[in-house]
């Protein structure tokens, strides 16, 4: 029956939901508020990402300095080949990053990262020598590494002092190589405290300037530094050999005599023994090299009979027994070692019998020695002119 389905509404009964205009407006306002909140949250997120990203970029940009690895973002490089020369100093123990920082600051390469990359790519980069190098402004990192490896950019001065050189010869050689006047070296040597000359040398540099090759950096190219280096090398060598300070001068005197007399290393220990045997028996040493030194003539001077009779020459080992008053040259390590380790034997005499081969014969008796002298005379007769 229809009355069951179409009955009139009872007062107070809930009606089906039908939005009013006020409700619709409220919903739209709420929706807009939610959208604004979402936009604000998105902006905050983007800003946060930008901040974090910027910090990340800064961190990456400085990561090479902080953590020691190359940053690809900063690996700027010059095309090269370079322009004006500039000196840079590579310190001992420098890593590729250390070198790159120095070269970047000097304007040689565009970035330390580019140099570090080139350093790692060059298998010979570990051979780069410390010291002062002349490179070019605006070089490519690859070229800079290659030039350092080649070591042809290194700024250095080499002074080679042969064994048996006298002080006058050494100063002339040092002056010719460095263009420092001999007078400047002599002035520096006047201050023995500054040069480090030991007290036992009694102010005499003869024998105390060690013969070797000295490699000078630009900052060391001055008279005082050069003399200091030579003296310190002698002291260091004597210390290595265990020579006490009070024995240094005697060792250098004996070693200098051996240096100027011996032509071959194998003869030095025998000559050392002959010198000790003569000193022990009170015989004069009769060493021509010492006599020649005392005459004041240049090295190579041939001693004359009258020179051996000149008692006014304190280095005349014919007229005076014992050792001369000081060294006659700068001895090398082999002669020093021979003094400390003489070969066992009873020799008292020696003479060179062949000036080409430097063969030297040793004798116990004068008769044996005279036969050796005859052998020398025969060689001279056969090789005149």
């Amino acid at each position: 029956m229809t009355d069951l389905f179409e009955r009139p509404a009872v007062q107070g009964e809930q009606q089906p939901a039908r939005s009013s205009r006020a409700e619709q407006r409220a919903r739209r306002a709420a929706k807009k508020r939610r959208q604004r909140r979402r936009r604000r949250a998105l902006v905050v997120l983007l800003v946060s990402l930008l901040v974090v990203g910027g910090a990340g970029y800064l961190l990456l940009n400085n990561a090479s300095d902080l953590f020691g690895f190359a940053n690809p973002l900063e690996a700027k490089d010059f095309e090269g080949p370079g322009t004006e020369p500039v000196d840079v100093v590579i310190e001992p123990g420098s890593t590729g990053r250390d070198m790159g920082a120095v070269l970047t600051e000097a304007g040689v390469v565009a970035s330390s990262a580019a140099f570090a990359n080139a350093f790692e790519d060059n298998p010979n980069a570990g051979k780069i020598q410390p010291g002062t190098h002349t490179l070019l402004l605006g070089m490519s990192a690859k070229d800079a590494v290659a030039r350092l490896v080649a070591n042809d950019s290194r700024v250095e001065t080499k002074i080679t002092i042969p064994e048996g050189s006298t002080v006058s010869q050494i100063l002339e050689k040092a002056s010719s190589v460095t263009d420092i006047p001999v007078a400047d070296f002599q002035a520096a040597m006047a201050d023995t405290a500054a040069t480090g000359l030991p007290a036992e040398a009694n102010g005499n540099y003869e024998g105390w300037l060690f013969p070797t090759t000295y490699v000078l950096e630009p900052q060391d190219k001055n008279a005082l530094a050069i003399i200091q280096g030579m003296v310190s090398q002698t002291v260091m060598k004597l210390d290595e050999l265990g020579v006490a300070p009070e024995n240094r001068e005697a060792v250098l005197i004996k070693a200098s005599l051996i240096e100027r007399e011996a032509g071959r290393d194998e003869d030095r220990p025998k000559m050392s023994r002959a010198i000790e045997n003569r000193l022990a028996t009170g015989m004069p040493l009769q060493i021509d090299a010492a006599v020649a030194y005392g005459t004041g003539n240049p090295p190579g001077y041939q001693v004359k009979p009258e020179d051996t009779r000149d008692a006014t020459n304190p280095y005349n080992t014919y007229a005076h027994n014992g050792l001369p008053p000081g060294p006659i040259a700068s001895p090398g390590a082999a002669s020093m070692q021979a003094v400390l380790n003489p070969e066992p034997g009873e020799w008292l005499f020696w003479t060179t019998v062949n000036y080409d081969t430097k063969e030297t014969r040793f004798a116990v008796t004068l008769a044996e020695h005279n036969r050796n002298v005859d052998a020398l005379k025969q060689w001279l007769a056969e090789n005149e002119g």
Side-chain angles (χ1 to χ4, degrees):
M1 292 176 44
T2 57
D3 62 326
L4 293 175
F5 300 98
E6 294 183 358
R7 62 186 178 86
V10 179
Q11 187 176 2
E13 185 178 357
Q14 185 176 2
Q15 300 295 313
R18 178 176 293 178
S19 299
S20 66
R21 290 180 179 178
E23 290 173 341
Q24 291 174 355
R25 284 195 299 270
R27 283 196 297 270
R28 284 196 296 270
K31 182 179 180 181
K32 289 180 180 180
R33 286 193 296 272
R34 288 195 299 272
Q35 288 174 340
R36 285 196 296 270
R37 286 197 297 269
R38 283 197 295 269
R39 284 196 296 269
R40 285 196 297 270
L42 181 59
V43 170
V44 171
L45 176 61
L46 290 173
V47 170
S48 299
L49 290 174
L50 288 173
V51 170
V52 173
Y57 174 83
L58 292 175
L59 180 63
L60 181 59
N61 196 43
N62 292 280
S64 56
D65 293 329
L66 292 172
F67 305 113
F69 59 82
N71 172 13
L73 296 181
E74 68 170 6
K76 302 180 295 294
D77 201 359
F78 293 132
E79 292 183 4
T83 56
E84 298 297 320
V86 61
D87 287 348
V88 293
V89 178
I90 303 299
E91 298 291 346
S94 294
T95 64
R97 292 296 306 178
D98 296 333
M99 297 179 198
V102 171
L103 297 184
T104 302
E105 183 177 356
V108 174
V109 298
S111 66
S112 57
F115 184 88
N117 291 338
F119 183 92
E120 293 173 0
D121 291 341
N122 191 315
N124 296 314
K127 298 179 180 180
I128 294 176
Q129 297 294 311
T132 302
H133 294 257
T134 299
L135 300 173
L136 302 176
L137 296 174
M139 297 183 73
S140 70
K142 180 180 178 181
D143 288 347
V145 172
R147 187 162 179 179
L148 289 171
V149 167
N151 205 36
D152 57 2
S153 64
R154 191 173 177 190
V155 182
E156 61 183 21
T157 301
K158 291 184 179 180
I159 305 175
T160 299
I161 306 301
E163 290 86 350
S165 299
T166 63
V167 166
S168 61
Q169 289 176 309
I170 293 170
L171 298 188
E172 289 290 345
K173 181 63 176 292
S175 178
S176 67
V177 172
T178 63
D179 293 327
I180 299 173
V182 170
D184 288 4
F185 286 104
Q186 293 171 335
M189 293 164 67
D191 188 348
T192 56
T195 61
L197 184 69
E200 55 267 25
N202 298 313
N204 180 16
Y205 285 88
E206 198 70 81
W208 287 89
L209 305 181
F210 193 74
T212 188
T213 295
Y214 296 89
V215 179
L216 309 179
E217 296 292 334
Q219 65 271 18
D220 299 324
K221 195 176 175 182
N222 64 82
L224 178 59
I226 292 171
I227 297 300
Q228 284 175 333
M230 293 181 178
V231 171
S232 67
Q233 281 293 316
T234 298
V235 173
M236 181 179 70
K237 181 56 64 177
L238 290 169
D239 287 345
E240 286 178 359
L241 295 173
V243 179
E246 62 270 20
N247 297 327
R248 289 172 175 172
E249 184 74 354
V251 168
L252 289 177
I253 292 174
K254 295 175 182 178
S256 71
L257 296 174
I258 294 171
E259 193 66 61
R260 293 305 299 271
E261 286 281 315
R264 304 178 302 181
D265 284 348
E266 62 202 71
D267 295 328
R268 299 178 197 276
K270 290 183 178 180
M271 197 171 292
S272 175
R273 175 58 66 189
I275 290 174
E276 295 297 339
N277 290 341
R278 286 205 166 209
L279 292 173
T281 60
M283 290 179 63
L285 292 178
Q286 297 182 332
I287 295 177
D288 287 358
V291 180
Y293 178 85
T295 65
N297 286 292
Y301 171 75
Q302 295 297 315
V303 172
K304 299 177 176 60
E306 56 267 27
D307 293 326
T308 64
R309 296 190 293 269
D310 182 9
T312 64
N313 178 357
Y315 289 84
N316 184 355
T317 52
Y318 287 83
H320 306 288
N321 285 2
L323 293 173
I328 63 172
S330 287
S335 292
M336 294 183 190
Q337 291 170 341
V339 171
L340 300 174
N341 300 283
E343 186 171 326
E346 298 180 355
W347 307 289
L348 291 171
F349 307 91
W350 70 83
T351 185
T352 301
V353 297
N354 186 315
Y355 287 164
D356 287 340
T357 64
K358 307 299 182 184
E359 179 188 353
T360 300
R361 294 181 185 176
F362 293 81
V364 176
T365 67
L366 181 59
E368 184 183 2
H369 175 63
N370 287 336
R371 288 194 295 271
N372 292 337
V373 172
D374 289 340
L376 170 61
K377 292 178 180 178
Q378 180 179 348
W379 185 90
L380 289 172
E382 294 173 353
N383 292 271
E384 284 184 356

